[in-house]
Amino acid sequence: MFWQQEGYLKVNTLKIGIDVDLTFVDSGTPWIEWLEKVYGVKMDLSLPPPNPQGMLYYNVSKYFPPAKVHQLSPYEFWEDPYLYDKLKPLPGAVEAVAAWAKAGHFNHFVSYCMKGHFSSKVRFLKRETEEFFSLEPGSGHAFYATKHKAGVDVDVIIDDRNEFLNQFGPEVIKIKFKTPYDQSEELKTSLDLETDDWYTIRDFVLDIA
C-alpha cells in the first residue's frame, strides 16, 4: 500500500487480491449440473450424512452415487480445458473490478488452478475484463496460480475459503465472500467484511482507499 500525489489529493493505491472460484465466478452450480448430466441422476441431498456445519458439502460429488465402471470421475469436471470459456462472473463482480481499476487500484487475481483448466481460466479473466485489466508487464495487474496465496503481496484479499484467509496477517484487509459450502478449516483470523454481494464489496474497498 502506498500513497501517490494526484493534484492536491492523496490517493491510497491498493493491490487487491481476488479469488476466482466461488468468489468471482460460481463454479459450484455448473459442477452440480455437470454431475447430473454425467451420472443421469439429480443431486440427492439425503445421500451423504448430514453436514456437521449445517452447510452444503464443498465436495458436491458426495450428493451423487459413486462413479460406475466406464463413468467419468466427478473431478474430471475440473480438468475440462474449456471450463471457464462457458462460465460468467457473478453479478457485480466485473463492475467492482472495473471501478477499482478506474480509481487507480491494481487487481491481482489469485487462484488455485488444476492443470487442465489453467489456460481456460486465464482466457476467462482476459475476456471478461479486457476493457480495464491487462496481464502485460508494467500494467500493475496480475494473475497468480497458487495455493499459497499469502505469498502474493496484496493489501486486500477477497476469498470464500477460510484456509486461504487464514494465511494472511493482520496488515491485510480480509473480505470473505459468503457461499453455501462448508469449510475445511475454522476461521482463525478477523474479517473486515463478510458478504455475498459484489456491489457491497466494491463500495467497501473504494471507501477504505
Side-chain angles (χ1 to χ4, degrees):
M1 186 183 301
F2 64 91
W3 295 91
Q4 70 179 32
Q5 194 73 29
E6 185 176 293
Y8 295 101
L9 298 176
K10 286 185 176 179
V11 179
N12 192 9
T13 303
L14 300 172
K15 291 173 286 186
I16 305 166
I18 308 158
D19 174 48
V20 177
D21 291 295
L22 299 180
T23 300
F24 192 76
V25 60
D26 176 13
S27 49
T29 302
W31 189 16
I32 293 169
E33 293 171 347
W34 183 88
L35 288 165
E36 290 181 339
K37 290 179 181 177
V38 168
Y39 296 132
V41 296
K42 290 292 184 181
M43 177 182 183
D44 186 352
L45 295 175
S46 67
L47 202 56
N51 190 305
Q53 296 178 25
M55 310 286 283
L56 288 176
Y57 283 104
Y58 181 63
N59 179 1
V60 297
S61 69
K62 290 178 179 286
Y63 298 108
F64 294 84
K68 298 177 182 178
V69 178
H70 307 305
Q71 280 188 326
L72 292 173
S73 159
Y75 307 108
E76 284 295 314
F77 170 80
W78 298 103
E79 296 294 344
D80 181 354
Y82 304 106
L83 175 58
Y84 296 89
D85 297 277
K86 297 172 279 189
L87 303 184
K88 297 293 290 182
L90 284 164
V94 171
E95 291 88 342
V97 176
W100 300 334
K102 183 178 180 180
H105 304 304
F106 299 123
N107 297 303
H108 292 194
F109 286 97
V110 189
S111 181
Y112 175 58
C113 295
M114 303 295 286
K115 183 178 179 181
H117 72 228
F118 172 81
S119 295
S120 179
K121 187 176 284 187
V122 172
R123 286 195 302 271
F124 162 76
L125 293 173
K126 288 182 175 180
R127 181 181 72 247
E128 298 295 339
T129 64
E130 62 182 352
E131 295 181 2
F132 54 85
F133 177 78
S134 172
L135 292 177
E136 295 301 316
S139 71
H141 303 295
F143 172 70
Y144 300 90
T146 179
K147 204 169 186 178
H148 181 56
K149 298 188 179 184
V152 179
D153 179 22
V154 295
D155 303 305
V156 180
I157 183 66
I158 307 165
D159 208 302
D160 66 298
R161 304 301 294 168
N162 291 349
E163 63 185 289
F164 297 127
L165 293 165
N166 285 338
Q167 293 179 5
F168 291 87
E171 73 282 359
V172 175
I173 296 166
K174 302 171 195 68
I175 300 173
K176 181 176 180 178
F177 194 84
K178 292 173 63 176
T179 75
Y181 303 103
D182 66 356
Q183 298 283 341
S184 59
E185 292 184 13
E186 291 186 9
L187 192 65
K188 301 171 186 175
T189 187
S190 60
L191 299 175
D192 297 279
L193 177 68
E194 183 174 6
T195 181
D196 60 0
D197 181 71
W198 266 101
Y199 298 103
T200 300
I201 297 172
R202 177 196 62 189
D203 294 344
F204 179 82
V205 172
L206 290 174
D207 287 344
I208 63 176

